[in-house]
Amino acid sequence: MTITIHVAGAQPEDIVRGLLAAQSVFDRAGVTPDLAATARFIVEGWDIRGFPNPAPEAELAICNVWDEADQAAVEACCVGWPADRIPDTADLELVREPQRFRLTSEEERSEWQFQTAEAGILEEMCGEGYFNEGRPEDEVVFLLDYWDFERLTEEQRRLYDERIYPLMRIWFFEHERFEEEYTRLRAEWARGLPPDNRQLSLFAA
């Protein structure tokens, strides 16, 4: 698994900065995000049960790493923000379908930033009022509120790949074109036109 954060008002580059800071905490501690999250869960359960013996020593040793990563994400994400806008937490969470990338060029770095901020990009688009008309792809966006692709049927995953994902890439890489492309593509889909494969190929990962 990998991680994402949810910070209201954050731009994709803010989200990326926060995620990099959180990952640095995990790296310094020498634990993976899922191991840190599991340790925190186990220790909380031990607390709720009244601290019975034996104590989960291994988990106690790393149970604070998750919270430290969350705070690092908030601080990095919200650099320069007014104090009253900075939240107490980045709502750090684990995400399914991890993807790993090598940073060997500016192009690859941009691609990595997109993939890292993917969940936040979709959330930002929804916050701006897109995908809210009850269409089939809008239902897919609703189901991805927790970025859990296992909730999607095969048809819904196809809608994500053909309709949502290309628009997310335009939003991130060519934001000035987004409104025009969103309006054009939504009109085509409403008329039942087949996907424009030339358009999709421009944004293939």
Side-chain angles (χ1 to χ4, degrees):
M1 289 189 177
T2 186
I3 54 174
T4 191
I5 58 176
H6 303 278
V7 178
Q11 298 300 307
E13 58 269 24
D14 300 326
I15 297 294
V16 169
R17 196 168 55 246
L19 288 170
L20 290 173
Q23 187 60 53
S24 292
V25 172
F26 294 124
D27 292 343
R28 287 196 302 270
V31 300
T32 61
D34 49 331
L35 184 60
T38 299
R40 186 172 183 268
F41 176 78
I42 290 173
V43 171
E44 286 180 350
W46 178 64
D47 184 357
I48 291 171
R49 294 193 304 274
F51 308 106
N53 286 320
E57 299 293 346
E59 287 77 13
L60 280 169
I62 61 172
C63 67
N64 291 328
V65 174
W66 183 267
D67 291 333
E68 292 170 3
D70 180 83
Q71 286 305 301
V74 170
E75 293 172 7
C77 178
C78 303
V79 168
W81 289 23
D84 59 354
R85 284 191 57 208
I86 300 176
D88 294 330
T89 176
D91 285 335
L92 181 66
E93 67 175 352
L94 293 173
V95 180
R96 299 179 187 274
E97 296 198 348
Q99 300 189 48
R100 300 185 183 276
F101 301 88
R102 293 179 298 109
L103 304 184
T104 58
S105 70
E106 283 302 312
E107 182 177 337
E108 287 179 323
R109 180 175 178 83
S110 294
E111 182 64 31
W112 180 84
Q113 289 177 333
F114 168 77
Q115 297 288 353
T116 303
E118 202 168 347
I121 292 169
L122 188 57
E123 182 178 3
E124 183 180 355
M125 292 166 69
C126 293
E128 293 292 327
Y130 299 102
F131 298 114
N132 65 350
E133 300 173 14
R135 300 187 185 187
E137 61 269 19
D138 301 348
E139 174 65 18
V140 175
V141 171
F142 175 79
L143 290 173
L144 286 176
D145 184 46
Y146 294 101
W147 206 242
D148 184 358
F149 282 83
E150 291 186 1
R151 304 175 67 185
L152 303 185
T153 65
E154 184 176 339
E155 172 63 17
Q156 288 169 335
R157 183 58 192 255
R158 183 188 66 79
L159 286 173
Y160 172 81
D161 291 338
E162 292 184 359
R163 299 187 177 186
I164 300 168
Y165 184 76
L167 284 171
M168 290 169 60
R169 294 185 67 85
I170 296 173
W171 179 275
F172 187 81
F173 291 108
E174 300 180 272
H175 193 74
E176 69 282 357
R177 294 182 52 237
F178 178 81
E179 189 67 38
E180 175 187 352
E181 288 300 304
Y182 178 86
T183 301
R184 181 182 69 81
L185 290 172
R186 296 275 280 189
E188 288 183 1
W189 299 333
R191 295 196 302 271
L193 296 178
D196 184 343
N197 291 327
R198 293 173 304 168
Q199 178 70 20
L200 292 177
S201 67
L202 291 174
F203 303 101

